[in-house]
Amino acid sequence: MSALDPSQLSQFTGTEKYYRISRRHLLTDGTKYLAEQAECYWMMDAIASHLCEIGTQDWFVLVRMDVSQGRAVMVYEDGNGGEHARQQIPYTDFPLSSITLYACWDGKHWVIMLPSEY
């Protein structure tokens, strides 16, 4: 059962620490909170996997996930409506009906963050 309090997500502005989830992917305080409280490290892994495929030509990627009836669709966009990738998630118990995350390339790492941390 999720311990996520969605109202807490907007409280994250900036980050004090980065958390490595792979050699080239970092979470912020906010995305680490989300991953832990919503038990969705799987989502961070999916994002990291797609970022490897998308590459670093675009330094910014918007990730939107919409959840309905225990299924989800994750869409990876350039921030201007251009779609990089789309992934169907056949089952999820993610507690929110939708979420948007940002990923920014800092020259060495992809930093996955909440919009309020951008």
Side-chain angles (χ1 to χ4, degrees):
M1 179 116 128
S2 171
L4 178 67
D5 177 356
S7 69
Q8 292 299 307
L9 295 177
S10 64
Q11 303 302 313
F12 291 96
T13 56
T15 194
E16 292 184 15
K17 186 174 179 187
Y18 295 99
Y19 305 88
R20 184 177 303 278
I21 59 168
S22 77
R23 187 172 61 85
R24 295 181 75 168
H25 300 89
L26 305 173
L27 299 180
T28 57
D29 293 332
T31 49
K32 182 175 186 287
Y33 171 85
L34 175 67
E36 288 178 345
Q37 299 303 308
E39 298 177 358
C40 67
Y41 274 101
W42 61 268
M43 179 171 49
M44 304 307 164
D45 289 342
I47 292 169
S49 175
H50 278 282
L51 291 171
C52 289
E53 300 267 328
I54 292 168
T56 60
Q57 185 173 357
D58 282 339
W59 61 272
F60 176 87
V61 175
L62 181 147
V63 182
R64 184 173 35 86
M65 186 170 80
D66 295 309
V67 180
S68 177
Q69 299 178 340
R71 296 181 178 164
V73 177
M74 294 179 73
V75 180
Y76 302 80
E77 301 175 0
D78 63 8
N80 295 314
E83 189 172 307
H84 290 295
R86 178 177 291 258
Q87 181 179 6
Q88 302 288 331
I89 308 294
Y91 170 78
T92 182
D93 59 358
F94 188 73
L96 305 176
S97 61
S98 67
I99 191 155
T100 298
L101 300 177
Y102 294 166
C104 294
W105 176 250
D106 72 2
K108 290 186 177 183
H109 306 98
W110 278 105
V111 180
I112 304 166
M113 65 189 74
L114 300 172
S116 60
E117 295 177 299
Y118 182 72

